[in-house]
Amino acid sequence: MCGITGLLMFENNSLPTTAAIRKMTDAIKHRGPDQTGIRLVDRIALGFTRLSILDLEHGSQPISNEDQSLWLVFNGEVYNYQTLKRELEELGHTFKTNTDSEVIIHLYEEYQEHCLEKLRGMFGFAIWDRRKKQLFAARDHFGIKPFYYYTDNTQFAFGSEIKSILSLDGLKPAVNSKSLFHYLTLQYVPQPDTMFAGIKKLEPGHYMIVDQWGNIKKQAYWEAKFEPEHRPIETFIEEIRYKLNESVNLHTQSDVPIGSFLSGGIDSTSIASYLSKRGPIKTFSVGFEGEHNENIYAKKTATELGIDHFDEVISVDRFFEDTIKAVWHMDEPIADPSAIAIYRLSQVAREHITVALSGEGADELFGGYRIYREPSSLKPLSWIPANLKKNIKQFIDEIPFNFYGKNYMKRGLTPLEERFLGNAKIFNEQEKRLVLSSMVNLKANWEPTTALTSKIYETSKDLDDISRMQLIDLNFWLPGDILMKADKMSMAHSLEVRVPFLDKEVFEIARKIPSSYRVTNKTTKYVLRKAMEDIVPNHVLNRPKLGFPVPLKKWLMGSIGDIMIEQIIISGIEEWIQIDHVVGLLKEHRNGRIDNSRKIWTIYIFALWHSVFIHENSVRLVI
């Protein structure tokens, strides 16, 4: 795990400098505190900050092939690198290290862009091909590792984090108004855009080629697809057990201490259970005071598994102190309160280990979110013809008062394509117009957020509603929220997080499972729960998913709400947001009329981000 940077100056422009690439690389030193490497080759400068995991003595980067015609910087882990290395040696390639990074460069040398078809792991990397005078860059299948880039008429810059790109001379950060529009609904910025105008992120499962003149070609090399096979559930149970155990074993390749996050839910417990079979391990959890303190369940699980467990209860003061620091590390605003819990969790873990396994991805692969049960609950309304549904919904929308079942009917009468945009839906289209400033509304002519997801819905018409919802989350929620916060919050503390569920071989099994095995009337992740019987403790098997339940609703009732509004006011976002409307949301929340905590938090995180990265006259927050 590490941080990578690069600066390619196009033909007929000045060459990159050591000072420029060092400045970019130093900006993400926290990702790799063990070593820094810089190399200037032809018209490109490459930078690398290393967190030593494999071959501690010889794993420095940038790294080249034998004749130095190829130069690589790589962030991530290739879990099948030893098998690939043996194959490449049989083809005549020679190696000077025992690292997965060197395997990538020889794999590219042999197969060019088709090398990506052989990789099993998480990665963001770039290779400068001196013969072709072009840059080849790629991001892993699910988007576990980030890859940001910026280009103009003279240069192409990339990095593991946006802050490295922001260090470029003459680049003034500015808000991408279209991204803000979608962020208010999704609570994150959907790919390929970022909240910064002009800076983009390479989509998961994609590669790009940049030539010496600045021409860019971007291409998908992998796509998540569900193709259910109607087989006995026992066959899937057996396959899940075998392949998940294999994936965990592959994810334990490390020359440094390794452990696991443990929330007490089935996802992280499955990983910890398999990991504990290999020998003594350490696990880690955090929670909040109150009825939903996950530490209680994690401790019980750790006791039954005989695991050495460490935890921490996060106070409200600690949570908001961490929030300011976490926003800087996020690069972009991510209004998921659990990101702050992961920030603290990563710090607790880093005191003991360098690599942590985690359970991200199980919900998207095996149908774990409660919202996936909605198609079944709305089935009584499915017989109504589409045109009639539209007319009835319009009539209900015009009723000025609430009544029992009103929300149920509105959702049941709304097409799935309009109803489900992913696991978060903070502001709808009408609400966004109310919260955005008049200036933004006058200039705005953006497509609704539903336009982003329409392609996925269009290409999945033949699938059941549950599978279509999972595809939306796999393409948007997973890379935009879940994996983004996991990477940024862990790397803030120089901790590598690995996610065994998000292995392409595990997905090959998950995508063939019928939705009726994934989600039932009584539970989610049904087939995974069946597969984990006798592997995880019984009390874990049917626990409802909690995640990190942050008590925002309660906190906003007190002085915390006033402090948040004060910070919003001084952030300089009045150009974008109607501050009076946000104040009104807090008043409405405190009156008990409606829970506005997530809406206020979404604005608050944008305000802190704006203070840190954009607003020159605001009081700079101490990082």
Side-chain angles (χ1 to χ4, degrees), residues 60 193 319 351 375 552:
S60 59
D193 293 320
F319 182 84
E351 294 174 1
L552 274 178

Side-chain angles (χ1 to χ4, degrees), residues 566-574 579 603-604 606-608 610-611 614-615 618:
E566 289 175 11
Q567 291 180 313
I568 289 171
I569 291 172
I570 67 169
S571 68
I573 63 170
E574 65 276 358
I579 304 297
I603 300 297
Y604 177 66
F606 173 68
L608 290 185
H610 195 271
S611 290
I614 306 293
H615 191 41
S618 67

Side-chain angles (χ1 to χ4, degrees), residues 496-509:
E496 173 169 307
V497 168
R498 299 178 178 178
V499 283
F501 278 109
L502 291 178
D503 171 78
K504 69 177 185 178
E505 298 296 327
V506 174
F507 179 74
E508 273 301 305
I509 296 169

Side-chain angles (χ1 to χ4, degrees), residues 392-403 406 410:
I392 296 174
K393 182 177 181 299
Q394 185 176 354
F395 173 75
I396 293 175
D397 285 339
E398 293 173 357
I399 298 176
F401 56 87
N402 290 323
F403 57 87
K406 182 178 181 180
K410 286 175 67 174

Side-chain angles (χ1 to χ4, degrees), residues 3 6 42 75 83 149 154 196 293 309 405 460 491 533 590 621:
D42 304 325
N75 169 32
T83 300
Y149 65 95
T154 65
F196 293 92
N293 184 355
H309 185 68
S460 63
M491 292 310 296
E533 288 179 355
R590 286 175 167 173
L621 303 169

Side-chain angles (χ1 to χ4, degrees), residues 170-315:
L171 182 58
K172 183 176 175 59
V175 175
N176 182 331
S177 53
K178 183 179 75 169
S179 295
L180 173 60
F181 187 75
H182 294 313
Y183 162 80
L184 290 174
T185 291
L186 301 174
Q187 81 176 18
Y188 60 87
V189 178
Q191 60 203 18
D193 293 320
T194 72
M195 193 61 86
F196 293 92
I199 299 177
K200 294 184 177 294
K201 49 200 170 202
L202 183 60
E203 296 96 322
H206 281 66
Y207 69 83
M208 65 192 308
I209 295 173
V210 186
D211 70 18
Q212 60 183 324
W213 303 103
N215 300 306
I216 297 176
K217 171 191 172 184
K218 190 164 62 172
Q219 179 68 45
Y221 69 87
W222 185 85
E223 180 183 357
K225 292 181 180 180
F226 283 105
E227 296 178 333
E229 296 179 358
H230 296 283
R231 295 190 270 126
I233 192 171
E234 289 77 16
T235 64
F236 291 111
I237 289 172
E238 183 179 344
E239 290 173 3
I240 290 169
R241 286 177 172 174
Y242 174 80
K243 193 59 68 172
L244 185 57
N245 182 48
E246 179 190 71
S247 180
V248 171
N249 286 337
L250 288 173
H251 281 68
T252 58
Q253 297 174 98
S254 172
D255 294 329
V256 293
I258 191 168
S260 182
F261 292 162
L262 183 64
S263 69
I266 191 169
D267 304 343
S268 63
T269 305
S270 299
I271 303 302
S273 296
Y274 276 122
L275 189 60
S276 66
K277 296 179 187 299
R278 297 174 55 86
I281 64 165
K282 293 181 171 65
T283 56
F284 309 88
S285 67
V286 294
F288 299 90
E289 292 181 351
E291 57 181 319
H292 296 311
N293 184 355
E294 286 280 86
N295 288 342
I296 297 172
Y297 306 106
K299 284 180 180 178
K300 183 177 180 181
T301 300
T303 299
E304 291 198 30
L305 292 175
I307 290 172
D308 194 7
H309 185 68
F310 303 83
D311 61 30
E312 181 177 313
V313 175
I314 304 174
S315 68

Side-chain angles (χ1 to χ4, degrees), residues 98-148:
N98 188 36
T99 63
D100 50 353
S101 54
E102 191 176 6
V103 167
I104 291 177
I105 202 163
H106 287 286
L107 205 63
Y108 173 82
E109 189 175 24
E110 185 70 32
Y111 300 107
Q112 300 295 290
E113 65 268 22
H114 296 292
C115 70
L116 298 168
E117 299 165 11
K118 294 180 172 290
L119 295 176
R120 185 176 178 181
M122 56 181 185
F123 51 83
F125 68 79
I127 295 174
W128 175 245
D129 189 327
R130 301 187 69 182
R131 292 193 179 98
K132 294 183 177 181
K133 295 185 177 180
Q134 67 181 27
L135 185 75
F136 176 79
R139 191 176 178 199
D140 65 69
H141 306 72
F142 298 98
I144 305 168
K145 292 290 100 185
F147 188 94
Y148 297 98

